[in-house]
Amino acid sequence: MVKRIEIRISGLGGQGVLLAGQIYGKAAAFDRKHVVQTQSYGAEARGSAARSEVIISNARIGFPTVRKCDILVAMGGEAMNRNLKDLKGGGVLIIDSSKIKKVPPVNVKILKIPATETAIHLFKDKIYANIIMLGALANVAGEVEIEVVEEAIKDSVPKETLKTNIQAFKEGLKLSGF
Amino acid sequence: MLSHPGCKTYFWQGNEACVQAAIIAGCRFFAGYPITPANEIAEHMAVNLPRIGGIFIQMEDELASIGAIIGASWTGTKVMTATSGPGFSLMQESIGYAFMTETPIVVVDVQRMGPSTGQATKSGQGDIMQSRWGTHGDYTSIVFSPNSVQEMFELTIRAFNVAEVYRTPVILLAEEIVAHMREQLTVPDSKAININDRKKPRPGETVFFGSDEIPPMPAVGEGFNIAVTGSTHNEEGIRFTADPVVHRKLIERLNQKISDNREKLVDVESYNLEDCQIGIVSFGSTSRAVYEAVERAEKKGVDVGYVRLKTLWPFPEKPVRELSNVVDRIIVPEMNLKQIFYEVERVAKGNAEVVPINKIGGGELITPEEVLDAILKGE
């Protein structure tokens, strides 16, 4: 039986959307699952629409990008509005509730994580919002053991920010009810 | 990084896999100019080459980049450059020069949406014909098309081997989506990887441009007197810019050394060619939608066979013709406006109806659903 989960993380260039997807993909690879991570961004370095997609399966992955996702992570309102149509009915929408105050009526589970506010409050830097969201994603997706995701973080971020990133990840787990 | 006995598994981008493969193949000189979506190749070359005694140069533009690698190849070094559509256009003249002077070079073109600067970050397959006919004059291209991170690795190694063995430019025609996606990459133990080097002349030899179909190649500084010219030349490299016979002999040999070895150069993945009702010819990332569409068609009781072109040029005529003999209809999905389509039509010679699926813009891939629709239409 082919088991497959498709994840999309959406936001703006500069929010760390690509890195979050890359880390979760790497964690799945560490876990010896079939995994493809792709990304899409604009010609500008910052501020244009960015998204990162991760497909995890127990079988060979043909088509590499997400058409309908099981989990949508939205780092902002615009990103949510643009991508909500691609979230499966009954899927999970994880939003940064510091940035998104209102979600249109849809048949999905909604998980509100005040990622940006938490990042500013705890680390005095909104840049860690993506890793807080990664914590929530890792909890909801449940495809990879938490310790393995932490290994992937360790393998992906600069040494001097590792401690803060791990803290941010744990905060995301906590905020999502882990 | 994950370790297995004798080999290593990474979760890498296609562009990173390309760099790793180039270094294993023996590449020690890279010259390039920044361009999306090929930048990670230059970035990782810049980090890795100096560590192993190689040279990385960021040049002033793409004309200089390809000029630099051609010159470096004549020092006996394995060389590469990487670019995308706009830079690939600028390199065309010197690709002809490398062909004419029989200089082994590897050019990576990570395709994005053209023409011109087009859509810099969006994937496409629009440089198929440019990779075949981009430079002027009668020449034959060797072009490979990877569809995964693993194949970015494997076909980069093959590109170097073929460039060295045939003394000719080889183009790795990648795509943004494959270059930027991350997948598991298994790097085999180095002993298990076949590496070929160019044939060197014996002391006292003077014929480096003829006699043998693929002549030996000396390096500057080894004591051979070498004249290297893009103008028509005889077997010793002496210019003959008006003699019809010298020109014919040279150009026919340069083309024949590739066409005579077509069978060895052509590499395809084929599936279910014996029992299929409908055929598909695809290449690069588009083939990954085909895998899924074929599985779904089979569940509906429709037998589909496919030929996936890992070698784009020389065009794999034999497997495509065989497919056309079996099926009534061949579907050709490509992210351009019918570039391989006409090749398939030419080879099918009316044996089968050839049906295009074309999609360009925004990096939107041809989906399995679109391929499945084309399969089921007419059933």
Side-chain angles (χ1 to χ4, degrees), chain A residues 36-85:
Chain A
V36 180
Q37 184 260 327
T38 59
Q39 50 207 312
S40 166
Y41 49 84
E44 305 76 16
R46 286 184 180 77
S48 60
R51 73 184 191 207
S52 179
E53 297 180 342
V54 185
I55 302 176
I56 301 169
S57 178
N58 59 357
R60 178 179 81 160
I61 299 166
F63 192 68
T65 60
V66 168
R67 284 150 288 166
K68 287 282 177 191
C69 53
D70 301 282
I71 302 172
L72 173 66
V73 178
M75 304 279 291
E78 206 189 302
M80 176 186 69
N81 292 332
R82 203 173 31 244
N83 291 290
L84 206 47
K85 64 178 188 325

Side-chain angles (χ1 to χ4, degrees), chain B residues 257-313:
Chain B
K257 74 176 178 183
I258 297 170
S259 60
D260 285 355
N261 292 292
R262 177 185 283 268
E263 295 292 313
K264 282 187 221 157
L265 291 166
V266 163
D267 187 9
V268 299
E269 176 197 354
S270 52
Y271 172 75
N272 198 27
L273 296 189
E274 297 77 28
D275 297 316
C276 57
Q277 305 154 267
I278 295 166
I280 302 176
V281 173
S282 70
F283 56 92
S285 66
T286 312
S287 65
R288 299 180 57 136
V290 172
Y291 294 150
E292 210 173 303
V294 168
E295 273 173 31
R296 285 161 69 174
E298 280 172 351
K299 282 186 190 144
K300 291 178 187 286
V302 183
D303 285 322
V304 187
Y306 62 73
V307 175
R308 199 249 306 178
L309 314 174
K310 291 164 79 171
T311 304
L312 282 175
W313 308 110

Side-chain angles (χ1 to χ4, degrees), chain A residues 32-33 37 41 62 67, chain B residues 4 121 182 184 288 369:
Chain A
R32 315 267 161 147
K33 296 195 159 66
Q37 184 260 327
Y41 49 84
R67 284 150 288 166
Chain B
H4 295 290
T121 59
R182 285 182 177 81
Q184 278 103 333
R288 299 180 57 136
E369 289 74 20

Side-chain angles (χ1 to χ4, degrees), chain B residues 14-84:
Chain B
N15 280 341
E16 293 173 271
C18 174
V19 170
Q20 180 77 1
I23 287 172
I24 290 173
C27 177
R28 291 296 178 270
F29 186 92
F30 181 98
Y33 185 76
I35 189 166
T36 302
N39 279 327
E40 295 80 7
I41 296 178
E43 188 186 337
H44 289 274
M45 280 292 189
V47 170
N48 288 300
L49 273 182
R51 287 181 181 160
I52 52 169
I55 293 171
F56 169 91
I57 308 181
Q58 182 175 317
M59 300 301 291
E60 65 267 37
D61 60 24
E62 287 87 350
L63 285 84
S65 301
I66 190 163
I69 67 163
I70 290 169
S73 185
W74 277 96
T75 69
T77 307
K78 292 189 188 179
V79 300
M80 182 167 108
T81 188
T83 187
S84 186

Side-chain angles (χ1 to χ4, degrees), chain A residues 6-178:
Chain A
E6 307 202 4
I7 299 161
R8 181 180 293 169
I9 307 170
S10 62
L12 298 175
Q15 283 188 308
V17 162
L18 268 48
L19 180 64
Q22 190 186 327
I23 292 171
Y24 201 64
K26 191 183 277 181
F30 282 170
D31 212 22
R32 315 267 161 147
K33 296 195 159 66
H34 291 266
V35 54
V36 180
Q37 184 260 327
T38 59
Q39 50 207 312
S40 166
Y41 49 84
E44 305 76 16
R46 286 184 180 77
S48 60
R51 73 184 191 207
S52 179
E53 297 180 342
V54 185
I55 302 176
I56 301 169
S57 178
N58 59 357
R60 178 179 81 160
I61 299 166
F63 192 68
T65 60
V66 168
R67 284 150 288 166
K68 287 282 177 191
C69 53
D70 301 282
I71 302 172
L72 173 66
V73 178
M75 304 279 291
E78 206 189 302
M80 176 186 69
N81 292 332
R82 203 173 31 244
N83 291 290
L84 206 47
K85 64 178 188 325
D86 296 332
L87 180 59
K88 283 180 192 165
V92 183
L93 170 66
I94 309 175
I95 57 167
D96 183 346
S97 54
S98 317
K99 298 221 161 167
I100 304 170
K101 296 298 170 200
K102 218 176 147 214
V103 179
V106 275
N107 173 31
V108 297
K109 298 181 202 99
I110 300 168
L111 182 60
K112 295 176 182 171
I113 306 290
T116 301
E117 282 164 21
T118 307
I120 293 170
H121 175 68
L122 290 180
F123 313 119
K124 303 199 169 28
D125 195 344
K126 64 180 179 184
I127 200 84
Y128 293 99
N130 64 333
I131 303 297
I132 295 174
M133 294 299 268
L134 175 66
L137 169 66
N139 182 21
V140 170
E143 283 297 307
V144 187
E145 294 295 325
I146 295 306
E147 294 73 33
V148 181
V149 183
E150 287 183 0
E151 266 178 60
I153 294 173
K154 202 172 154 188
D155 198 64
S156 307
V157 304
K159 266 197 192 97
E160 54 275 20
T161 67
L162 177 61
K163 216 178 122 196
T164 318
N165 273 304
I166 294 289
Q167 258 181 297
F169 178 68
K170 291 203 160 121
E171 199 58 33
L173 287 170
K174 204 168 79 190
L175 289 167
S176 62
F178 184 77

